[in-house]
Amino acid sequence: MAGAVAPHAGQPVVTMGAPLGAGRVVVIAVHGRGAAPGNILDLAPAIGNAHVTFLAPAAAGGTWYPKGFMAPIGENEPGITSAISVVHALIDDAVAHGVPAERIVLMGFSQGACLSVTAAQRRPARYGGVLVYSGGLIGPPGTQWSTGGDFGGTPIFFGCSDVDGHIPADRVRESATHLEQMGAAVMLRLYPGMGHTINDDEVVFGRELLASLAAQ
């Protein structure tokens, strides 16, 4: 029964880079549908540095929730709630190891990006940043997300194709607007005709963000 309620509980977390508590920055890196921690950690050498710890949780069965991110919430439960609990627990663990929220970055691609930004939206704080690579807030059309809490200027980057078959550009824009209303410093870049991928410009933004945080 517990597994049905929290399907992602107890799954492994892959660590890369500086040991947790020894680095200046922690990145919680969330993989996409049908992938694994190693896939999202392919980004680590390109955007990280010696002062960054990467924590990459694994989804049970390789998928955080079964349907598209704009399906009715109930059709993606208990996956969404369990997955967000995993992300929040990793934030708490990093803080317990002496890394303040201001130096914790949430990062994800595709399904992992949707999960990362929704986890942040449900627990707003002044984070080091949120890197939303091809993703948007979870919820069906017409969702009214809570505006409670304040991001306090957290830099949140949205990068996505303008014709992504999985992530509608309108939802990316809607998500960006909502988080701005919650006090985030949002950067939105829609790339004309790009596939469902991460491009060099997005990698550069991530690398510069982490370098800036590590230098503080």
Side-chain angles (χ1 to χ4, degrees), residues 3 5-12 58-65 78-84 86:
V5 173
H8 306 300
Q11 295 296 310
T63 299
W64 296 107
Y65 44 87
I80 291 172
T81 296
S82 176
I84 287 175
V86 168

Side-chain angles (χ1 to χ4, degrees), residues 37-164:
N39 298 107
I40 191 69
L41 287 175
D42 284 344
L43 281 174
I47 71 171
N49 58 61
H51 304 293
V52 178
T53 303
F54 289 87
L55 305 176
T63 299
W64 296 107
Y65 44 87
K67 296 192 174 181
F69 80 115
M70 293 178 67
I73 293 292
E75 296 181 9
N76 275 321
E77 292 290 17
I80 291 172
T81 296
S82 176
I84 287 175
S85 294
V86 168
V87 175
H88 287 172
L90 289 173
I91 293 171
D92 292 341
D93 194 29
V95 171
H97 279 80
V99 182
E102 293 88 349
R103 288 193 278 115
I104 297 173
V105 174
L106 306 184
M107 177 184 79
F109 172 67
S110 192
Q111 190 182 63
C114 299
L115 173 60
S116 295
V117 71
T118 303
Q121 186 271 330
R122 292 192 184 184
R123 190 193 281 190
R126 179 51 168 97
Y127 297 108
V130 185
L131 296 171
V132 189
Y133 293 135
S134 301
L137 289 169
I138 294 172
T143 295
Q144 298 295 311
W145 298 282
S146 169
T147 55
D150 188 350
F151 278 107
T154 295
I156 300 183
F157 175 86
F158 286 90
C160 192
S161 168
D162 64 339
V163 291
D164 193 304

Side-chain angles (χ1 to χ4, degrees), residues 7-29:
H8 306 300
Q11 295 296 310
V13 177
V14 178
T15 303
M16 182 178 287
L20 181 59
R24 297 174 187 165
V25 180
V26 168
V27 177
I28 298 171

Side-chain angles (χ1 to χ4, degrees), residues 109-110 133-134 159-161 164 191 194-200 202:
F109 172 67
S110 192
Y133 293 135
S134 301
C160 192
S161 168
D164 193 304
Y191 302 95
M194 187 176 78
H196 189 62
T197 186
I198 301 172
N199 67 22
D200 291 342
E202 295 172 293

